[in-house]
Amino acid sequence: MSSRNPSYTNPKPCKHLEDYKLRHGLSGYKSIQKHLKATPHGRTSVEMLNAGVPRCNSCNGFQGRLYLCLICNSVSCLDHTLLHTQSEDGHDLAVDIERAELYCCVCCDQVYDPDFDKVVMSKHNMGVPRDDKHGDESIGERLVKRRRLGLGVAEELVDLKKSKQLVSMRDRRDKSCYPLGLRGLNNLGSTCFMNSVLQALLHAPPFRNYFLSEGHNHEACQRRSGDRLYSFFSTDSGDCQCIAHRVFSGLLRSDVTCMTCGSTSTTYDPCVDISVDLDTSNFSPTDIVNKRSKPNENSSISTLLGCLDLFTRQEKLGSEQKLFCETCQEMRDSVKQMSIRRLPLVLCLHIKRFEHSPVRKMSRKIDRYLQFPFSLDMTPYLSSSIVRNRFGNRIFSVEGDESDIITDFEIFAVVTHSGTLESGHYVTYLRLRNRWYKCDDAWITEVDEEIVRASQCYMMFYVQKMLYQKADEDLSSLPLSPRRDAYLPIAGCCERLFK
Amino acid sequence: MRPSVNRPPTPDVHENQEKEPTLQETINIKLIESGEKERLMELLRERLVECGWKDEMKAICRAFIKKKGRNNVTVDDLVHVITPKGRASVPDSIKAELLQRIRKFLVSAAL
């Protein structure tokens, strides 16, 4: 598989950087190290204590970007870096004083060196694990174990040899030209919420395959009476290896950074779904650039990616939420940031459309339309991406940087809600063999893709792309209803149903 | 940091040192020494992210890179492309807020 995380590939050094490294090694970097200053916001700068305000050697300018030569420590502004390297042979490499970034004066471009970034990152207080519940086992060890189990399960569940034998049995009641197994569910009295979720769960490829392939031994199943399916999800997902958790369980990472000293403490929490707030910002960037004072309702649409950006954004905790910083030994203003440490096989995203205000004792539903993609790449929301971006694009390894992490997902179910908080209705759209089917309690109808895109989504179910493609292949190889001779248009199909 | 023997000549610096530092330079020095400049920079960054200015600049950079090709663009190019646009599109409210902060600082520093 090709490299999945482009942000972590080592760029090839320019020949000037190569020459510099051959001649000077790490000595230049090491001499800078004591002058590097790290801010709690993840930025690093060079502080030259003796010179006061740094100024360009050629023009005495002090504004804009200034560069410090790694060999002779002279300072040049952007206009004069070339001059310096022309007058001094071999003085090609410099450091941006404000940003602590490497710059090649000959290429006139930023260059990257993991050795340099290592020196820079040494100034940042990277991580203090909170919540040492597991005692002697380190976070790293626990995470490696979980990952190994996760990948093994995916392969096991996709083996459909057994399921084919079960499903190809003739079902004489089946009149429709729809895929075998697609069935409506009767509404037992305001149970559309349950029907909707059941449809999504039953069509989650790994979940469905497990039950169809006799992976689930219903004779020996411990969850016989009482809760059954629900009980899968109600147990603590911490160490549970039941099918529900193996398919839906992911791991969220939460970083809390002290705004005074910059030290970060990290916790990991398992999750079976991710609830995101609707991105309700009314201003689009073009409004600002074009100096529009009122928000243009037409130019800004909320998108799922916007919600995920919001979810992983650094959130300033209010002054009433100060946390105790171990390093400062005081209550400090902090910033929190969420990211996804491990993605599940099936990703369930929940949009928080029901807003409860404890102050006003009112609840309301947010009807705002949310645009969502059918194909989703979760790379930018992984912990490795989020943490790396926090420090301004440095080359260093972050937990979870393995290049074979699967981040491509395909949607297979959308649960929509229409109506109000008090009286509303849930409907699920299922994607089978690239056709969409509306599951409205007992009624199944094929619908156009555009209907789904325009619907008001409430929960979206995405499955890892390769599992989706495999499931698609398997569905195609299954026989359709034996009563059908040729493909019939939908209208004709429905007529047959009602005859 | 050890001064290098190969320090380049600085011909104009001696003449400039005769002149009085400009008002702008003096204010800049005061801002840096007191640490206020860093606070102002953080505030500015926060505001520019909030209003979407940063996203807009990112989009302009991406469009430029797409047009020129990823391997034909340097940091210098990007800086030259977005500096005029960036300066022109900073919302007035942000400029006003920062000016107010600087004024307040100068008043307190002069006393």
Side-chain angles (χ1 to χ4, degrees):
Chain A
M1 199 185 268
S2 60
S3 161
R4 305 284 317 158
N5 272 326
S7 59
Y8 184 42
T9 47
N10 272 1
K12 195 165 177 289
C14 68
K15 74 167 193 279
H16 314 105
L17 176 61
E18 269 177 354
D19 285 341
Y20 170 81
K21 288 295 284 290
L22 278 171
R23 240 184 285 172
H24 301 270
L26 305 179
S27 60
Y29 302 166
K30 294 259 159 73
S31 70
I32 290 244
Q33 193 167 22
K34 46 191 176 299
H35 299 277
L36 288 174
K37 197 182 106 173
T39 74
H41 294 92
R43 269 181 285 281
T44 327
S45 58
V46 180
E47 259 201 348
M48 295 149 56
L49 309 154
N50 52 340
V53 174
R55 286 169 176 279
C56 174
N57 255 9
S58 311
C59 67
N60 223 29
F62 61 93
Q63 290 168 320
R65 297 187 183 219
L66 294 168
Y67 295 89
L68 181 77
C69 175
L70 272 175
I71 297 174
C72 68
N73 290 327
S74 73
V75 176
S76 307
C77 69
L78 245 186
D79 296 328
H80 295 119
T81 49
L82 209 56
L83 203 69
H84 177 65
T85 194
Q86 281 165 353
S87 63
E88 301 294 323
D89 192 38
H91 290 219
D92 302 332
L93 270 291
V95 177
D96 182 327
I97 291 177
E98 198 186 326
R99 295 166 187 77
E101 287 170 354
L102 272 185
Y103 183 82
C104 172
C105 304
V106 182
C107 298
C108 297
D109 199 9
Q110 183 171 4
V111 289
Y112 300 89
D113 185 355
D115 293 325
F116 179 73
D117 285 337
K118 201 162 157 186
V119 168
V120 168
M121 292 312 298
S122 71
K123 291 287 179 168
H124 288 274
N125 197 332
M126 280 289 280
V128 176
R130 336 198 266 276
D131 232 356
D132 206 21
K133 286 191 268 204
H134 293 255
D136 41 21
E137 201 182 56
S138 74
I139 289 179
E141 286 169 306
R142 268 183 287 134
L143 290 173
V144 169
K145 263 196 218 163
R146 291 189 77 89
R147 225 191 116 237
R148 252 188 263 133
L149 284 165
L151 279 180
V153 160
E155 273 127 42
E156 168 198 312
L157 296 177
V158 165
D159 175 25
L160 280 187
K161 289 200 190 106
K162 289 182 184 166
S163 73
K164 277 181 189 170
Q165 289 164 4
L166 287 170
V167 183
S168 61
M169 290 192 317
R170 288 175 153 238
D171 185 4
R172 295 182 191 285
R173 291 168 299 170
D174 185 10
K175 288 187 166 109
S176 74
C177 59
Y178 294 154
L180 263 176
L182 183 60
R183 279 278 189 283
L185 296 167
N186 281 331
N187 188 319
L188 310 170
S190 296
T191 58
C192 59
F193 73 96
M194 183 179 74
N195 291 346
S196 300
V197 171
L198 271 176
Q199 291 285 16
L201 290 181
L202 294 172
H203 288 88
F207 203 67
R208 178 197 69 198
N209 298 343
Y210 173 81
F211 285 99
L212 286 180
S213 65
E214 309 233 285
H216 174 246
N217 187 344
H218 54 269
E219 301 275 311
C221 180
Q222 290 166 324
R223 300 169 207 270
R224 304 202 103 203
S225 54
D227 300 323
R228 301 197 189 218
L229 188 62
Y230 169 70
S231 67
F232 276 128
F233 292 91
S234 59
T235 53
D236 176 26
S237 53
D239 290 303
C240 181
Q241 284 303 302
C242 74
I243 180 59
H245 287 115
R246 282 191 289 171
V247 171
F248 292 94
S249 186
L251 203 63
L252 286 178
R253 170 174 167 156
S254 158
D255 292 314
V256 176
T257 307
C258 167
M259 275 294 107
T260 309
C261 69
S263 63
T264 306
S265 83
T266 304
T267 44
Y268 292 92
D269 289 302
C271 63
V272 289
D273 54 43
I274 301 180
S275 295
V276 296
D277 288 296
L278 255 176
D279 174 20
T280 53
S281 59
N282 278 317
F283 285 94
S284 77
T286 47
D287 282 340
I288 301 304
V289 173
N290 296 328
K291 306 263 189 171
R292 267 177 244 166
S293 53
K294 287 207 193 86
N296 185 342
E297 297 287 348
N298 298 327
S299 68
S300 66
I301 303 178
S302 293
T303 63
L304 178 64
L305 296 180
C307 294
L308 287 170
D309 282 336
L310 200 66
F311 179 73
T312 53
R313 196 168 292 178
Q314 284 191 312
E315 183 196 335
K316 274 217 293 241
L317 300 176
S319 48
E320 69 281 359
Q321 291 168 289
K322 282 192 189 179
L323 292 174
F324 186 77
C325 172
E326 291 292 338
T327 316
C328 300
Q329 288 290 307
E330 271 195 47
M331 300 294 278
R332 295 291 199 197
D333 282 326
S334 316
V335 161
K336 185 174 95 157
Q337 188 169 37
M338 301 295 299
S339 57
I340 302 173
R341 172 62 181 87
R342 188 169 50 83
L343 289 162
L345 299 179
V346 173
L347 180 64
C348 170
L349 295 172
H350 163 240
I351 312 298
K352 293 196 227 168
R353 286 191 179 276
F354 300 109
E355 207 176 53
H356 306 285
S357 164
V359 174
R360 281 185 258 155
K361 293 220 172 112
M362 258 170 39
S363 299
R364 71 176 182 110
K365 183 192 170 200
I366 308 169
D367 278 308
R368 190 185 170 92
Y369 170 71
L370 182 72
Q371 193 186 68
F372 58 96
F374 285 2
S375 302
L376 182 59
D377 180 1
M378 291 296 285
T379 310
Y381 311 107
L382 291 177
S383 298
S384 49
S385 309
I386 297 290
V387 173
R388 182 165 295 111
N389 279 340
R390 204 187 293 155
F391 295 99
N393 209 22
R394 305 279 171 190
I395 302 173
F396 66 100
S397 79
V398 180
E399 240 173 45
D401 242 346
E402 303 89 44
S403 57
D404 57 350
I405 284 190
I406 294 155
T407 54
D408 286 324
F409 285 78
E410 284 292 313
I411 199 169
F412 67 90
V414 181
V415 175
T416 64
H417 183 268
S418 51
T420 64
L421 227 152
E422 296 83 30
S423 76
H425 184 53
Y426 290 97
V427 160
T428 298
Y429 292 98
L430 291 177
R431 188 189 193 190
L432 298 163
R433 263 188 279 183
N434 227 18
R435 290 188 185 169
W436 284 94
Y437 299 90
K438 176 179 178 180
C439 307
D440 184 347
D441 286 327
W443 292 272
I444 311 273
T445 46
E446 185 175 340
V447 293
D448 202 35
E449 174 183 301
E450 292 312 312
I451 303 277
V452 182
R453 288 198 194 273
S455 65
Q456 192 187 89
C457 57
Y458 179 63
M459 283 175 91
M460 278 92 77
F461 290 80
Y462 289 84
V463 65
Q464 285 182 3
K465 190 169 182 176
M466 53 168 206
L467 295 176
Y468 175 78
Q469 284 167 345
K470 183 100 184 31
D472 237 19
E473 283 164 22
D474 296 317
L475 271 178
S476 312
S477 65
L478 288 175
L480 289 176
S481 166
R483 284 189 179 266
R484 245 184 16 82
D485 296 313
Y487 172 71
L488 286 170
I490 300 296
C493 183
C494 290
E495 276 168 31
R496 284 175 66 203
L497 274 177
F498 290 120
K499 261 182 192 152
Chain B
M1 287 188 266
R2 276 190 305 121
S4 164
V5 171
N6 295 327
R7 251 197 118 73
T10 52
D12 299 325
V13 175
H14 296 295
E15 289 166 29
N16 284 349
Q17 276 176 349
E18 309 293 338
K19 295 183 191 164
E20 279 279 307
T22 64
L23 184 61
Q24 200 175 26
E25 290 170 1
T26 317
I27 294 177
N28 190 46
I29 292 170
K30 277 219 148 23
L31 283 170
I32 295 176
E33 283 174 353
S34 63
E36 180 69 4
K37 187 162 192 195
E38 204 178 300
R39 284 189 284 272
L40 288 172
M41 291 287 269
E42 279 307 331
L43 175 65
L44 178 61
R45 281 192 190 100
E46 201 180 305
R47 293 284 181 262
L48 289 175
V49 166
E50 276 168 13
C51 74
W53 180 93
K54 188 176 176 183
D55 291 329
E56 178 68 14
M57 292 303 117
K58 248 182 163 170
I60 296 175
C61 289
R62 281 208 186 97
F64 181 78
I65 292 168
K66 214 172 177 178
K67 200 173 71 167
K68 285 294 206 83
R70 200 155 54 117
N71 296 325
N72 303 331
V73 177
T74 66
V75 164
D76 283 17
D77 293 335
L78 290 176
V79 170
H80 284 115
V81 163
I82 65 170
T83 299
K85 252 223 151 180
R87 283 191 205 275
S89 62
V90 175
D92 291 334
S93 58
I94 297 182
K95 286 187 189 165
E97 185 180 355
L98 280 166
L99 278 171
Q100 177 65 357
R101 277 282 292 259
I102 295 171
R103 234 178 254 129
K104 205 161 87 176
F105 167 78
L106 288 175
V107 165
S108 67
L111 291 169

